[in-house]
Amino acid sequence: GGPSMDPGAVDLSAVLPATIAVVNDGSGLGLEAAGSPSFGSVVSLDTVNIPSGTQFGATLIGLTEFNPAIDLTSIGMPGCFQYVDGLATLIFLAPSSVASTPFAVPANPAFLGTIVVAQSVSFSPPLTPLGAISSNGLRLVIGN
């Protein structure tokens, strides 16, 4: 989500039947997990590629995944999408290009197979009219 480099126009009729690959150029806000969500572990949810000048951001954690994602153009975030319900919001202030949020996985086997979803947002004006951009969504399955 958010502003990304434009790879330029491609005439699909000229390229087919060649293989087409979609590659993330890594320039947009991203969310990555360091570690696996096994019982009693702590997974680091790392927001990466935070634009310089960003004042604050947040990692949203929830139990509901929106697929297809909700287009956020109508609220002033063109090119951005909402992938999670955001039951919990963990704010980070004055970040560098990376911000880490720890997620403690319950040690209780009753949570085996529970799906937890996460996404990051950052307040990075003037990249969108609202000033905020969103990352990709991330799905963690507890016990895997």
Side-chain angles (χ1 to χ4, degrees), residues 55-124:
Q55 299 168 11
F56 63 91
T59 300
L60 311 173
I61 299 173
L63 298 173
T64 303
E65 175 183 5
F66 300 129
N67 187 4
I70 299 169
D71 187 346
L72 299 176
T73 300
S74 64
I75 64 166
M77 294 174 64
C80 295
F81 297 89
Q82 180 180 354
Y83 296 100
V84 304
D85 59 359
L87 292 175
T89 303
L90 307 168
I91 296 174
F92 46 85
L93 300 173
S96 62
S97 64
V98 176
S100 296
T101 304
F103 173 70
V105 179
N108 187 337
F111 290 103
L112 177 66
T114 300
I115 296 173
V116 177
V117 289
Q119 179 176 15
S120 289
V121 296
S122 70
F123 184 64
S124 307

Side-chain angles (χ1 to χ4, degrees), residues 3 27-30 47-55 95-98 122-125 127 133:
S27 63
L29 189 67
T47 304
V48 298
N49 300 324
I50 300 172
S52 62
T54 295
Q55 299 168 11
S96 62
S97 64
V98 176
S122 70
F123 184 64
S124 307
L127 298 178
I133 59 173

Side-chain angles (χ1 to χ4, degrees), residues 16-47:
L16 294 176
T19 303
I20 298 174
V22 177
V23 178
N24 179 354
D25 62 15
S27 63
L29 189 67
L31 182 62
E32 303 171 353
S36 64
S38 55
F39 296 121
S41 68
V42 175
V43 176
S44 179
L45 301 176
D46 300 331
T47 304

